[in-house]
Amino acid sequence: MLCRVALQALGIGTAAAQRILDSNAGGKPSFLPQGNLRQMLAQAPSLPVQFPKLIHRYPLMQNTHEVDMADGSYINMADVTRFPVATELCGAIVRIAPGGMRQLHWHLNIDEWQYIINGTLEVGVFTGPGQSASGILQAGDLGFAPHGSGHYLRNIGQQMAYAVLIFNDGLFTDVEIGNFLGTVPPAYVAASLNISDDDARGIDYSLAGFAPAQPPPS
């Protein structure tokens, strides 16, 4: 399941992802260790600091979206770099277009709460080798992804879905699967996702934040 979700998070369509996995059946995927993630995070450039005029009020919906996609999906973030009073918590509004997917990602040091405002979202959380949980979240539901776990949100409904994300640290950090896999050799990606080297070289790792909307399977 993780390999299929990872391929879809990298923009590979459902049918194409299944074909890739079927053609490479029989291998044993070994998911990426977290040791190198800490090194990558330490080398990441710091976010620009913008201080609002009112320390206890931040105009979140007037903020430039952290990620803004052509299909209307976006992430609107407020953390301590933008809202200095928020030293212990940060949060975001996320909008996901029908068929769109908040890309598979993880947070090394912060937990994530997901409160669904509206829509129908498929959620998946991967906590370790062979350990995962998935389900459906709807308006009023709360989801949780502990730090270090890979997780995603996919809009399986027919309308824009909105969710409030809360994190237990003032500074938001995450590792996107595309950004990480794009820094390692294709052979390593192939071994991790149980695909061929050629398939690994053909993936676009530049996606940021969201995988493009995919039509529902026929």
Side-chain angles (χ1 to χ4, degrees):
M1 176 182 177
L2 177 56
C3 293
R4 174 175 53 81
V5 169
L7 289 171
Q8 291 173 341
L10 292 166
I12 307 299
T14 302
Q18 193 60 54
R19 284 196 300 271
I20 290 173
L21 292 173
D22 289 344
S23 66
N24 294 279
K28 294 183 178 180
S30 55
F31 196 60
L32 304 169
Q34 289 196 22
N36 288 334
L37 299 183
R38 295 184 183 277
Q39 298 173 10
M40 188 190 77
L41 188 61
Q43 296 171 1
S46 59
L47 295 173
V49 177
Q50 297 177 347
F51 294 103
K53 294 180 180 179
L54 301 177
I55 192 168
H56 286 284
R57 176 182 178 274
Y58 182 67
L60 178 62
M61 297 312 293
Q62 298 176 27
N63 185 34
T64 301
H65 300 157
E66 184 78 9
V67 178
D68 203 342
M69 302 292 289
D71 63 7
S73 299
Y74 66 69
I75 301 172
N76 210 343
M77 173 63 62
D79 70 355
V80 71
T81 65
R82 301 165 175 82
F83 191 25
V85 72
T87 59
E88 302 297 329
L89 292 172
C90 63
I93 296 289
V94 59
R95 181 170 76 175
I96 307 176
M101 179 185 189
R102 172 67 179 101
Q103 195 178 61
L104 183 67
H105 65 285
W106 50 98
H107 313 280
L108 292 179
N109 302 309
I110 55 179
D111 304 319
E112 175 178 314
W113 286 262
Q114 307 149 342
Y115 179 74
I116 309 307
I117 299 174
N118 76 298
T120 302
L121 293 167
E122 173 189 297
V123 60
V125 180
F126 302 90
T127 56
Q131 299 177 350
S132 64
S134 61
I136 303 300
L137 299 179
Q138 295 181 309
D141 288 341
L142 185 66
F144 177 71
H147 67 275
S149 65
H151 52 282
Y152 70 91
L153 290 168
R154 188 203 317 269
N155 185 353
I156 60 173
Q158 301 300 313
Q159 60 179 328
M160 287 285 185
Y162 290 81
V164 175
L165 307 181
I166 302 296
F167 309 93
N168 58 344
D169 195 295
L171 180 64
F172 175 81
T173 57
D174 75 340
V175 180
E176 305 281 345
I177 188 171
N179 291 340
F180 177 71
L181 292 181
T183 67
V184 300
Y188 190 25
V189 177
S192 297
L193 299 182
N194 196 23
I195 61 177
S196 71
D197 288 3
D198 287 342
D199 289 326
R201 282 189 287 268
I203 293 174
D204 178 7
Y205 298 102
S206 65
L207 295 174
F210 293 92
Q214 300 286 346
S218 55

